[in-house]
Amino acid sequence: MAVLCCTSMQLLLVALAALAGICLGGSDGPRGVALPFVFDPKATCDPPCKHAGICIRKNSCFCSRGYEGETCQYANCYPKCKNGGECLRPGKCRCPSGFGGKYCHKVVCDGGCWNGGECIAVNGEAKCICPSSWTGSRCQDAICPQGCRNGGSCVAPGICSCPEGWLGGACHTAVCKKPCVNGGKCVSPNTCRCRAPFSGPQCEERKKLY
């Protein structure tokens, strides 16, 4: 009497499927209908079963856990990949830009959100929502409502860093190392605007009247 040799996996399939019908991707019946299990150790599948799937009869694959499809060509992630992610293998999603996590369920902003900004999805794109007084793609730029004049830069909300020769909340006050006298006014770094009849670097000279 001839004896058919089978792998341990094939023997297990025979034992399990003998108790019930099995849904076969390559069967002649309607897709998704349970049919009586028929196992042929000499069966061939063209194209062949992928991802360790077993050909149990002609063009019918029994897929290993985590795969599905006519030839077991599709990975099956559970929970399913979210936000447009692609299932590469069981339990492994490839996430689109702006999303991360095991199932692409987390919103990820490139470079992170600074200064208390929050990364959220807006129309399918990851964006930083900035708190008041901050702006920029990563909330990296401070806002100075008063503006920073004369080459000053806004370094924190409402705070300007002024270049040499300027002071004030908006870098609007010029600095003269030597004070202007006789009612003169410092109008730019080390430059005095004098009142008549005075002149000179610090308005210290009186013009002669004839």
Side-chain angles (χ1 to χ4, degrees):
M1 180 176 64
V3 178
L4 295 176
C5 295
C6 303
T7 65
S8 58
M9 176 62 76
Q10 291 171 334
L11 290 173
L12 178 60
L13 289 174
V14 172
L16 292 175
L19 301 177
I22 185 170
C23 181
L24 303 177
S27 69
D28 296 331
R31 187 179 181 89
V33 176
L35 299 175
F37 183 83
V38 177
F39 175 69
D40 181 1
K42 296 181 180 180
T44 59
C45 291
D46 186 20
C49 305
K50 299 180 179 180
H51 301 113
I54 297 176
C55 185
I56 58 175
R57 69 180 190 181
K58 184 178 180 180
N59 295 331
S60 296
C61 295
F62 185 88
C63 300
S64 58
R65 183 178 181 181
Y67 292 94
E68 60 187 8
E70 298 289 339
T71 59
C72 310
Q73 71 272 35
Y74 300 120
N76 184 12
C77 290
Y78 183 81
K80 292 187 178 297
C81 305
K82 301 181 182 298
N83 298 305
E86 178 186 0
C87 186
L88 297 179
R89 60 180 183 271
K92 178 63 177 178
C93 296
R94 179 167 60 193
C95 303
S97 176
F99 296 94
K102 189 173 182 179
Y103 302 108
C104 307
H105 58 291
K106 296 181 179 179
V107 183
V108 178
C109 291
D110 187 25
C113 299
W114 303 359
N115 300 304
E118 181 183 3
C119 184
I120 66 172
V122 179
N123 296 325
E125 296 183 5
K127 291 186 177 181
C128 291
I129 301 300
C130 303
S132 61
S133 300
W134 293 96
T135 187
S137 60
R138 297 191 300 272
C139 307
Q140 74 276 18
D141 298 323
I143 297 174
C144 291
Q146 77 279 18
C148 299
R149 297 157 57 181
N150 300 304
S153 59
C154 187
V155 294
I159 299 177
C160 294
S161 176
C162 303
E164 185 178 0
W166 295 96
L167 291 175
C171 305
H172 59 289
T173 303
V175 177
C176 291
K177 292 182 179 179
K178 293 183 178 180
C180 305
V181 297
N182 297 311
K185 182 178 180 181
C186 185
V187 293
S188 63
N190 298 317
T191 301
C192 295
R193 183 169 61 198
C194 303
R195 298 175 61 182
F198 298 96
S199 63
Q202 285 80 47
C203 307
E204 74 280 12
E205 299 176 2
R206 178 187 287 269
K207 294 180 180 180
K208 294 181 179 180
L209 299 176
Y210 297 96

